[in-house]
Amino acid sequence: GQSLEQPSEVTAVEGAIVQINCTYQTSGFYGLSWYQQHDGGAPTFLSYNALDGLEETGRFSSFLSRSDSYGYLLLQELQMKDSASYFCAVRDTGRRALTFGSGTRLQVQP
Amino acid sequence: EAQVTQNPRYLITVTGKKLTVTCSQNMNHEYMSWYRQDPGLGLRQIYYSMNVEVTDKGDVPEGYKVSRKEKRNFPLILESPSPNQTSLYFCASRTSGGQFFGPGTRLTVL
């Protein structure tokens, strides 16, 4: 099966940089993705890494190291609106199912 | 506008009364899936479908059924709902990399 570990909560101040880590165990790795979810809302897709390295999309970047079964989401120039839960997810090559981590609640303070 | 729609958004029902939650996407995606979200447990995949007439179990399929007769629709069926199926349900469809989520259905089974 699959399992993912990510911190339950992170606090940072406006304008700062925060990194949310995700380690995973999976029988067949197909890619690591990240989602953002505001309270009361639906998850929204942020980024996807299938290969090692850094993917940048505006203020958000995502990194993957397949040899370490590890990835992270980097949020720069934090804004109050970035306060949300962030989930990493892995896809299994065998079952094609998607498994999510339990989420990291990011609180951005003024 | 590209979107995933779900109905109903809110539902209160009683144990044993069959119900269906509809899901529709207008992006011509082949892959669709259903998740439930519970506090502290994150998002867990119930069922997914790779294409019309092709469905498979996710991590928590017990007590649920799905069907995929058309590419755009992927209803979730609870034949005999029980209180432990009280949850927030999300439907999603996927292109390469990321999933688009519907707005969610909050189900309460009394």
Side-chain angles (χ1 to χ4, degrees):
Chain A
Q2 297 81 30
S3 68
L4 297 96
E5 294 281 337
Q6 53 181 128
S8 58
E9 284 186 34
V10 173
T11 302
V13 297
E14 258 186 310
I17 299 172
V18 71
Q19 178 174 313
I20 299 174
N21 298 321
C22 175
T23 57
Y24 60 86
Q25 288 184 320
T26 180
S27 53
F29 180 77
Y30 203 79
L32 180 72
S33 50
W34 289 91
Y35 293 82
Q36 178 192 60
Q37 185 179 28
H38 288 98
D39 285 347
T44 56
F45 171 69
L46 290 177
S47 67
Y48 174 70
N49 295 68
L51 302 175
D52 290 352
L54 191 69
E55 295 279 343
E56 297 181 66
T57 309
R59 295 187 296 114
F60 294 0
S61 305
S62 57
F63 172 82
L64 175 65
S65 169
R66 289 175 296 170
S67 60
D68 295 322
S69 298
Y70 163 76
Y72 66 72
L73 179 70
L74 191 74
L75 297 85
Q76 303 182 72
E77 300 172 21
L78 281 174
Q79 302 175 9
M80 296 297 291
K81 68 178 181 180
D82 297 330
S83 293
S85 292
Y86 293 84
F87 296 88
C88 57
V90 293
R91 190 147 61 99
D92 181 291
T93 52
R95 293 189 307 129
R96 303 292 181 96
L98 192 66
T99 301
F100 282 78
S102 55
T104 298
R105 189 169 185 85
L106 170 65
Q107 188 171 1
V108 180
Q109 296 178 337
Chain B
E1 179 191 354
Q3 60 183 352
V4 178
T5 57
Q6 294 178 227
N7 281 292
R9 294 289 313 280
Y10 302 90
L11 179 61
I12 300 174
T13 189
V14 295
T15 298
K17 186 177 181 182
K18 181 179 177 180
L19 66 92
T20 299
V21 184
T22 64
C23 172
S24 183
Q25 52 98 0
N26 62 0
M27 294 168 279
N28 203 36
H29 290 162
E30 293 181 346
Y31 186 102
M32 297 184 73
S33 57
W34 275 102
Y35 299 86
R36 61 178 289 174
Q37 186 172 32
D38 303 289
L41 296 176
L43 287 148
R44 293 180 292 168
Q45 194 170 44
I46 303 170
Y47 268 94
Y48 63 97
S49 170
M50 299 294 292
N51 211 328
V52 175
E53 302 292 2
V54 181
T55 63
D56 208 346
K57 296 176 181 178
D59 292 321
V60 288
E62 295 77 20
Y64 304 94
K65 285 175 56 177
V66 292
S67 70
R68 189 87 183 276
K69 293 183 170 51
E70 313 164 87
K71 187 182 263 192
R72 65 181 290 120
N73 296 323
F74 190 44
L76 179 70
I77 303 154
L78 285 74
E79 294 270 5
S80 183
S82 61
N84 65 11
Q85 293 178 298
T86 292
S87 188
L88 178 59
Y89 291 86
F90 289 102
C91 178
S93 71
R94 191 190 78 203
T95 181
S96 57
Q99 300 209 24
F100 292 87
F101 283 81
T105 295
R106 187 166 291 281
L107 172 66
T108 301
V109 183
L110 302 175

